Amino acid sequence: MLLKDKHAFITGSASGIGREIAEVFAREGAKVVIADLNKEAADKTAAEFKAKGAQALGVAVDVTSEEQVDQAVKAATDAFGPVDILVSNAGIQIVHPVEEFSFSDWKKMLAIHLDGAFLTTRAALKSMYASGRGGSVIYMGSVHSKEASVLKAPYVTAKHGLIGLCKTVAKEGAKHNVRANVICPGFVRTPLVDKQIPEQAKTLGISEDDVIKKVMLKETVDGEFTTTDDVAQVALMFASFPTNALTGQSLVVSHGWFMQ
Ligand code: NAD
């Protein structure tokens, strides 16, 4: 098992990509914390994992709240000991052209993606540094950490910003054996993407099928969606990599939509 008894704190893990990462990590022996805004779904997910023999804990957290993040990490460390792996994954999408974006929606997007990453990183680093065991910080970026798309100004801005935070954490964390990396997925069929398909069809005046084929998957090499398991396998590599050689990096997993 690659993550035997490692404590993995994963935000937004009651659904989609985060949930799959938690499941893969639990299968590899990790103690997984399902930290999510949706407490009921977090508890249900943890219960399902426990029924399969995993060590799992559901905790309620709004990643934009300093107090809630600190409390959630405390509850997690009380239960499972120091944090070894942070996956800062919670996220939402709101799509509008820039000139129509409300300031409140702009701030909400930056708060979830950037404040959430900062607050969870700060809390996890304190635990990792104090334990002396080192650790791995993984940010859920996107192809939109490298590339822009219309209608997604705050998302693209925030996802680019995560790369800056990651590189700083990689430099500061090195002396504590803490690594930091970003995963940059292409489109993955989760509730976050399913919600966008009719919204984009309406805004762009095209069919939902065309949103999938001509917008989302147009630039891929094979017209395929990236899967939650594709992303979870990359997360497992970043979480289990044994040395500081792999730090400060961002890896795109997108069926070739974006090539570096
Ligand atoms: P999802 O909607 O399936 O899951 C997101 C989870 O985050 C939900 O359980 C939700 O309750 C939780 N969440 C939302 N706001 C929160 C908050 N303030 N505090 C705590 N939890 C909160 O979405 P997903 O597609 O699995 O997305 C996960 C991450 O992956 C996001 O950061 C997203 O930007 C990123 N991503 C997704 C795709 C994709 O195509 N689905 C592609 C690239 C990157």
Side-chain angles (χ1 to χ4, degrees), residues 10-21 34-39 41-42 45 59-65 68-69 88-93 108-109 111-113 116 120 139-145 152 155 159 162 183-196 216 225-226 228 231 253 257:
I10 306 165
T11 68
S13 47
S15 174
I17 292 171
R19 185 193 154 101
E20 185 80 27
I21 291 172
I34 313 300
D36 203 286
L37 189 61
N38 186 338
K39 165 80 169 137
T45 303
V59 296
V61 68
D62 178 346
V63 295
T64 68
S65 159
Q68 287 188 36
V69 168
S88 174
N89 165 79
I92 62 163
Q93 180 62 280
K108 185 175 178 184
M109 287 293 287
I112 293 173
H113 292 275
T120 51
Y139 297 101
M140 196 51 63
S142 164
V143 164
H144 289 109
S145 300
K152 297 186 176 174
Y155 189 81
K159 292 298 191 189
L162 288 178
I183 306 174
C184 301
F187 282 101
V188 183
R189 276 313 279 265
T190 66
L192 181 141
V193 161
D194 285 341
K195 176 176 165 286
Q196 282 174 62
M216 294 183 164
F225 278 100
T226 301
T228 54
V231 182
V253 50
W257 163 17

Side-chain angles (χ1 to χ4, degrees), residues 18 36 38 51 55 63 65 73 82 98 122 156 165 190 205 213 245 259:
D36 203 286
N38 186 338
Q55 299 181 80
V63 295
S65 159
V73 172
V98 175
R122 189 180 63 178
V156 170
L165 176 62
T190 66
K213 291 195 180 124
M259 297 189 191

Side-chain angles (χ1 to χ4, degrees), residues 44-126:
K44 190 163 169 272
T45 303
E48 283 170 23
F49 291 176
K50 280 200 268 189
K52 291 185 207 157
Q55 299 181 80
L57 174 73
V59 296
V61 68
D62 178 346
V63 295
T64 68
S65 159
E66 182 175 24
E67 194 186 348
Q68 287 188 36
V69 168
D70 289 346
Q71 274 173 3
V73 172
K74 178 163 187 327
T77 54
D78 286 349
F80 288 158
V83 178
D84 297 297
I85 301 156
L86 166 68
V87 185
S88 174
N89 165 79
I92 62 163
Q93 180 62 280
I94 303 175
V95 291
H96 294 295
V98 175
E99 73 279 13
E100 288 172 21
F101 242 105
S102 70
F103 190 33
S104 59
D105 277 347
W106 168 270
K107 284 192 281 195
K108 185 175 178 184
M109 287 293 287
L110 295 197
I112 293 173
H113 292 275
L114 286 179
D115 296 356
F118 162 69
L119 291 171
T120 51
T121 299
R122 189 180 63 178
L125 285 182
K126 283 181 185 168

